[in-house]
Amino acid sequence: MMTIISAPGDLIVATKDGVDVRFAGVESIADAPFSATEWLGKQGTRLHLEGIRSPETQRRDEHHVKEISQWANLRERDGAEAAGDAPAMPGQLVLGPVGADISDDLGTIYRWSAGQVAGSGTDWDATWVYLPEPPAAARFLRIEFTLDGEPTGKTCKVQLG
């Protein structure tokens, strides 16, 4: 079990293109819903982030619906190859660049291993998996949030065990 010791009061850890991103939790996991080869059979840490719903996210969702409609029409008219990939969900564009540098009191460095982002007309959320699992002797994790790889100045401290 992990207990948050310190975090920003509003839990906002980054702002990307006018959308605030909130720290939504952290947990130890033994089985992730991701199919990354390096993950199989390993334990790690799962970090949760949320884009805070606002008029800006609603505007982006509405724009995405139009983009998807245009893409679907092009796909139907000219074929899948001509249409290319579906437009990215707006939540991907906002949450994708938000990450974290995680370390513990023993000096273990955790690295991002897998992730999942959603956000289009729904809750905007991201889940990142970091490896390795915290050593048994570690007492806490320090989570330093990043945006496009640069620190945001926001950190959380989480007690392990």
Side-chain angles (χ1 to χ4, degrees), residues 93-158:
L93 303 174
V94 169
L95 295 167
V98 180
D101 292 328
I102 301 177
S103 60
D104 63 33
D105 54 312
L106 300 178
T108 307
I109 302 298
Y110 299 81
R111 62 184 169 66
W112 183 91
S113 175
Q116 184 174 352
V117 179
S120 176
T122 65
D123 293 334
W124 288 27
D125 56 37
T127 301
W128 305 139
V129 175
Y130 291 82
L131 295 176
E133 80 177 289
R139 295 178 302 142
F140 67 85
L141 293 178
R142 182 175 190 276
I143 305 167
E144 181 178 6
F145 293 92
T146 61
L147 178 61
D148 295 319
E150 296 296 320
T152 64
K154 303 291 184 156
T155 61
C156 291
K157 187 174 178 181
V158 178

Side-chain angles (χ1 to χ4, degrees), residues 57 60-62 64 67 87-95 117-121 124:
T57 59
R60 289 169 183 250
D61 285 343
E62 290 167 0
H64 184 253
E67 286 181 319
M89 289 187 290
Q92 290 175 312
L93 303 174
V94 169
L95 295 167
V117 179
S120 176
W124 288 27

Side-chain angles (χ1 to χ4, degrees), residues 2 27-34 39 42-46 128-130 133:
M2 297 185 182
E27 62 185 324
S28 290
I29 55 170
D31 185 24
F34 308 110
W39 171 257
K42 295 183 181 177
Q43 295 184 353
T45 300
R46 183 167 32 209
W128 305 139
V129 175
Y130 291 82
E133 80 177 289

Side-chain angles (χ1 to χ4, degrees), residues 34-104:
F34 308 110
S35 59
T37 304
E38 81 171 318
W39 171 257
L40 298 175
K42 295 183 181 177
Q43 295 184 353
T45 300
R46 183 167 32 209
L47 178 67
H48 300 278
L49 301 169
E50 295 177 344
I52 296 178
R53 300 296 289 170
S54 67
E56 178 62 19
T57 59
Q58 183 176 358
R59 184 191 66 75
R60 289 169 183 250
D61 285 343
E62 290 167 0
H63 179 73
H64 184 253
V65 168
K66 291 176 187 171
E67 286 181 319
I68 287 291
S69 177
Q70 291 169 349
W71 171 80
N73 290 338
L74 178 63
R75 184 177 170 101
E76 184 176 314
R77 186 184 72 228
D78 298 341
E81 190 172 315
D85 294 334
M89 289 187 290
Q92 290 175 312
L93 303 174
V94 169
L95 295 167
V98 180
D101 292 328
I102 301 177
S103 60
D104 63 33

